[in-house]
Amino acid sequence: MKTRPSSLESVTCWRAKFMEAFFSHVLRGTIDVSSDRRLCDQRFSPLLHSSRHVRQLTICNMLQGATELVAEPNRRVLETLASSLHTLKFRHLLFSDVAAQQSLRQLLHQLIHHGAVSQVSLYSWPVPESALFILILTMSAGFWQAGPGGLPCRLCGEASRGRAPSRDEGSLLLGSRRPRRDAAERCAAALMASRRKSEAKQTARAAPATRVTRRSTQESLRAGGTDTKREPHPPATSHEAPGTKRPPSAPATTSSASPSSSTSSSKRAPASSGPQPKPLKRFKRAAGKKGARTRQGSGAESEDLYDFVFIVAGEKEDGEEMEIGEVACGALGGSDPSCLGLPALEASQRFRSISTLELFTVPLSTEAALTLCHLLSSWVSLESLTLSYNGLGSNIFRLLDSLRALSGQAGCRLRALHLSDLFSPLPILELTRAIVRALPLLRVLSIRVDHPSQRDNPAVPGNAGPPSHIIGDEEIPENCLEQLEMGFPRGAQPAPLLCSVLKASGSLQQLSLDSATFASPQDFGLVLQTLKEYNLALKRLSFHDMNLADCQSEVLFLLQNLTLQEITFSFCRLFEKRPAQFLPEMVAAMKGNSTLKGLRLPGNRLGNAGLLALADVFSEDSSSSLCQLDISSNCIKPDGLLEFAKRLERWGRGAFGHLRLFQNWLDQDAVTAREAIRRLRATCHVVSDSWDSSQAFADYVSTM
């Protein structure tokens, strides 16, 4: 099948991996089963045979495979997937029609609400279709209602007849007997109601509504009013009269949605008045691609990667136009959506939800971010959340508020948060402090910001700056953080802010700092001293892309720490200054440390001389217990590696574990390199590669 598993993936059973890949290829049609008489046998189903081995399923482009899986002939296939599938991934999604989204709704209901899927991941969706994104999000959070014209769920009927709802399940039902629904439930119910109303009208071949400009939208909002004391609107149905008014501030989908999920104007005109409005545009053509074609629903041509690539997300619509939902959400500033008079969806229920949500390179509009935040505030089953390059901007404040609300919920399970973006309205250390304050029970926090914060960035609508409760100067309470990973933008970082986080993280076991820059070596020393005094449980410490050439005394201080078990100095320019004096001091510190198990020194220009100096760590008079050594990308030549191997043999040192030699100059003398590796394998497990050292000519010249 010409499928190569990722090098980062650990395959425990190749037969199961093959059957999983086979299932996906048959489902997408990339394998022609009719070409093999055994596969096209009427008594045999390739999908059913391989479905029990499927642990993760990927849905791409225009939701290919969703309709096939929910079809009646594949009923047993879907039932098998419901028990075997754990991870559901969406990659490179494009625009979809009503039928595909209805199939996806049924598929998610079976796999998540009645199945074992615990993780949903979305990858590379530069122009998210708001209706489809909200559908995936609300279904993942456990919300469900059959679409227009859809049959009731057979499993829901069997479950309701077989047992009474438990106390926890009953508390999640969105029925009229529970009028006090939280903000997340009201928001999700309203969004689902507005989507289904739009889909019902599309199914009935009603003309799509016109886009409204910002001015007309605001006039409609003022005309309709948003008084929270008004009587609530009745639930939206698929048989609404043409002249019935829709709540003026109900959210709608973004301009990139397909006709199946197109937005309606804030005030519905009678069917007999005026000409039919023009349909919504799907998206604008990418700049410089005049030949780019616009997709036309299910009749689109082949959805290859090139079609996907040229749908660019960076082009925004005209500044005077805004979707109704975005106007409403922006005017609210993240307040309770019930004040908009959103329709209640009493038939909705909340079922089992996923525990891991990952969004990679999925730009979040205001409507999508507001929906996510309201769902998060009560998503107690969520254990891990990953938001990677979503363009949150000022919506980060809404996210922090929702995470704080979630932390206050009984039974909150969120223990891992991974957050990365190009920009942030808050400096990274202030953002870290805010997250730690909002989620004191968090165990794993990974945060990265690529570019410096701009203080003049727009903040929460209606506020002059970040809310005071987010960037308060009060002391951070003690937390449960065990793993902290931080990727810094360029510029010096205030050491006291980092120290305040470390002081409150007494349970910290692993710390990783990437591209961190401090004003002086004294500030770096202050951080290390804080680690020694307050983080006694710290076992693993990693520094990447940091200039530590002037911090040699601080590095020695770390190597003498008797609590650390693993230290990484990756591309830190350790031996740029005074290598002849610093190397013996470093080796002496390591020889006296009996707790250090792993040392990683990739990209520090160690050279042959440095490698031979490190060999003394394994001498007979050393008390070191080092068992893992990484000397990749260190300008090591074959003769130096051979001498290193001979010294280990002479000292009679037993096997010490793993030795990593990636991207060194071993190709300059292949015979000597093979002899050195042969000798080394008698004492350790060697991991190397066939790297072309001519790529590093510039680096070689700089070290001459």
Side-chain angles (χ1 to χ4, degrees):
M1 293 180 293
K2 300 181 180 179
T3 299
R4 176 180 297 178
S6 171
S7 59
L8 302 177
E9 183 179 5
S10 177
V11 179
T12 57
C13 179
W14 282 100
R15 178 176 183 270
K17 183 66 180 178
F18 172 84
M19 298 301 289
E20 183 177 79
F22 174 76
F23 179 91
S24 299
H25 283 291
V26 173
L27 182 64
R28 298 172 191 167
T30 53
I31 288 184
D32 185 12
V33 296
S34 62
S35 61
D36 192 303
R37 61 180 179 82
R38 297 166 296 179
L39 296 182
C40 62
D41 192 333
Q42 296 298 326
R43 300 167 296 177
F44 172 75
S45 170
L47 290 178
L48 182 60
H49 179 71
S50 56
S51 60
R52 63 180 182 271
H53 300 285
V54 179
R55 297 295 178 266
Q56 69 177 25
L57 177 65
T58 302
I59 298 178
C60 302
N61 299 337
M62 300 180 69
L63 307 179
Q64 288 94 334
T67 303
E68 289 78 4
L69 285 176
V70 299
E72 184 60 27
N74 290 325
R75 176 175 173 181
R76 291 180 57 195
V77 176
L78 187 55
E79 292 175 352
T80 305
L81 281 179
S83 59
S84 66
L85 193 65
H86 295 157
T87 302
L88 189 59
K89 297 183 178 181
F90 296 89
R91 289 184 182 274
H92 310 314
L93 292 184
L94 301 176
F95 304 115
S96 56
D97 54 16
V98 176
Q101 293 191 20
Q102 175 65 16
S103 299
L104 180 64
R105 181 187 293 110
Q106 298 176 11
L107 180 65
L108 294 177
H109 179 57
Q110 181 109 3
L111 296 180
I112 297 178
H113 302 164
H114 295 293
V117 171
S118 59
Q119 176 178 335
V120 171
S121 304
L122 284 81
Y123 297 85
S124 302
W125 197 1
V127 188
E129 185 179 356
S130 184
L132 180 57
F133 177 77
I134 291 175
L135 169 64
I136 297 174
L137 206 58
T138 52
M139 295 290 285
S140 300
F143 290 96
W144 158 254
Q145 187 189 37
L151 298 176
C153 175
R154 173 181 56 84
L155 295 177
C156 291
E158 293 177 358
S160 61
R161 289 193 301 268
R163 60 175 177 84
S166 63
R167 180 180 178 184
D168 293 338
E169 181 182 356
S171 64
L172 297 175
L173 296 179
L174 306 184
S176 57
R177 288 174 290 181
R178 283 191 56 82
R180 295 177 59 84
R181 298 183 297 173
D182 60 20
E185 292 167 343
R186 287 192 296 268
C187 181
L191 290 169
M192 292 172 67
S194 61
R195 288 193 61 256
R196 249 173 298 291
K197 181 198 289 187
S198 176
E199 291 177 357
K201 297 185 188 318
Q202 192 63 230
T203 304
R205 292 190 173 90
T210 57
R211 175 188 297 274
V212 292
T213 63
R214 178 180 302 181
R215 182 179 305 171
S216 62
T217 302
Q218 293 175 345
E219 291 175 357
S220 300
L221 287 172
R222 287 194 297 268
T226 58
D227 189 1
T228 58
K229 297 181 180 180
R230 295 173 55 190
E231 296 183 0
H233 294 273
T237 63
S238 59
H239 304 287
E240 182 175 337
T244 305
K245 281 188 179 182
R246 180 180 177 178
S249 53
T253 57
T254 60
S255 60
S256 61
S258 64
S260 64
S261 56
S262 58
T263 59
S264 58
S265 60
S266 61
K267 190 175 290 187
R268 177 78 62 178
S272 58
S273 61
Q276 295 292 339
K278 293 187 293 182
L280 288 177
K281 295 183 294 182
R282 289 186 183 271
F283 54 88
K284 286 188 176 183
R285 293 175 178 171
K289 299 292 177 183
K290 297 183 179 181
R293 295 185 301 270
T294 303
R295 295 192 173 274
Q296 300 293 335
S298 59
E301 299 183 10
S302 59
E303 53 281 354
D304 55 12
L305 182 60
Y306 297 99
D307 292 334
F308 164 76
V309 168
F310 291 118
I311 299 177
V312 182
E315 190 173 6
K316 296 184 178 180
E317 296 293 341
D318 185 79
E320 289 299 316
E321 293 184 348
M322 181 179 291
E323 297 293 336
I324 302 175
E326 295 185 358
V327 172
C329 296
L332 283 174
S335 60
D336 190 346
S338 62
C339 67
L340 290 173
L342 297 179
L345 195 60
E346 302 298 340
S348 291
Q349 293 180 341
R350 193 170 185 181
F351 289 86
R352 175 187 176 274
S353 55
I354 62 172
S355 59
T356 302
L357 177 65
E358 297 178 339
L359 305 179
F360 296 96
T361 322
V362 181
L364 298 181
S365 64
T366 302
E367 179 187 5
L370 185 63
T371 304
L372 174 63
C373 292
H374 281 297
L375 290 175
L376 284 176
S377 62
S378 63
W379 201 332
V380 293
S381 67
L382 194 64
E383 300 176 4
S384 177
L385 175 63
T386 300
L387 301 176
S388 179
Y389 297 98
N390 306 118
L392 286 173
S394 60
N395 289 318
I396 190 67
F397 302 121
R398 294 192 181 100
L399 177 66
L400 291 173
D401 286 335
S402 65
L403 293 178
R404 182 179 293 103
L406 174 62
S407 179
Q409 294 280 348
C412 173
R413 303 178 188 174
L414 187 61
R415 295 296 180 266
L417 176 61
H418 305 268
L419 181 64
S420 57
D421 218 329
L422 290 174
F423 301 95
S424 170
L426 278 178
I428 183 171
L429 287 175
E430 291 186 9
L431 180 58
T432 304
R433 285 166 52 92
I435 293 175
V436 172
R437 275 199 298 260
L439 297 168
L441 298 180
L442 202 64
R443 300 293 179 85
V444 178
L445 174 60
S446 176
I447 182 171
R448 169 180 293 274
V449 178
D450 292 346
H451 298 283
S453 168
Q454 299 293 334
R455 281 298 188 178
D456 56 348
N457 275 3
V460 177
N463 292 343
S468 58
H469 67 279
I470 291 180
I471 60 169
D473 296 330
E474 66 272 11
E475 187 176 352
I476 303 177
E478 187 175 355
N479 57 73
C480 302
L481 208 59
E482 297 178 356
Q483 179 178 340
L484 177 60
E485 300 177 359
M486 303 182 67
F488 295 86
R490 64 181 183 274
Q493 304 297 325
L497 288 182
L498 178 57
C499 292
S500 65
V501 176
L502 298 177
K503 290 178 181 179
S505 307
S507 303
L508 195 64
Q509 300 180 14
Q510 181 173 341
L511 175 64
S512 176
L513 302 180
D514 187 350
S515 306
T517 304
F518 299 99
S520 65
Q522 290 73 23
D523 281 357
F524 182 56
L526 177 64
V527 174
L528 300 184
Q529 188 65 32
T530 303
L531 290 175
K532 182 179 180 180
E533 295 179 3
Y534 292 91
N535 305 105
L536 303 180
L538 190 65
K539 303 299 181 185
R540 295 179 177 85
L541 185 60
S542 175
F543 301 103
H544 175 72
D545 194 18
M546 295 174 57
N547 185 2
L548 301 183
D550 296 321
C551 302
Q552 294 179 349
S553 59
E554 287 76 14
V555 171
L556 295 176
F557 175 79
L558 278 177
L559 294 175
Q560 296 168 353
N561 191 322
L562 298 181
T563 62
L564 291 174
Q565 297 181 1
E566 183 179 303
I567 302 179
T568 299
F569 298 103
S570 176
F571 296 90
C572 290
R573 303 164 66 176
L574 283 183
F575 311 110
E576 186 174 288
K577 297 182 178 179
R578 300 190 316 114
Q581 294 79 19
F582 177 60
L583 268 170
E585 296 173 349
M586 179 178 175
V587 170
M590 293 174 60
K591 290 174 66 175
N593 191 332
S594 60
T595 60
L596 188 64
K597 306 295 183 183
L599 178 65
R600 291 177 169 82
L601 300 171
N604 285 285
R605 300 183 181 180
L606 189 62
N608 283 357
L611 178 62
L612 297 179
L614 282 182
D616 196 34
V617 175
F618 306 100
S619 62
E620 298 175 350
D621 61 341
S622 174
S623 60
S624 172
S625 58
L626 193 68
C627 58
Q628 293 185 4
L629 180 63
D630 187 352
I631 50 175
S632 302
S633 304
N634 269 295
C635 310
I636 296 173
K637 298 180 180 179
D639 55 342
L641 187 63
L642 180 60
E643 181 62 27
F644 177 75
K646 291 179 178 180
R647 293 193 182 187
L648 293 184
E649 290 178 345
R650 183 166 60 251
W651 285 320
R653 186 79 178 205
F656 68 88
H658 289 73
L659 178 66
R660 299 174 64 89
L661 295 169
F662 291 110
Q663 295 185 357
N664 280 299
W665 298 349
L666 303 183
D667 62 328
Q668 295 184 357
D669 188 346
V671 176
T672 304
R674 284 196 297 268
E675 175 64 15
I677 293 177
R678 185 189 66 81
R679 289 172 176 263
L680 286 172
R681 283 175 177 165
T683 59
C684 61
H685 176 68
V686 181
V687 182
S688 183
D689 60 355
S690 56
W691 184 61
D692 184 7
S693 63
S694 61
Q695 305 277 337
F697 179 74
D699 192 19
Y700 171 74
V701 172
S702 66
T703 58
M704 290 179 62

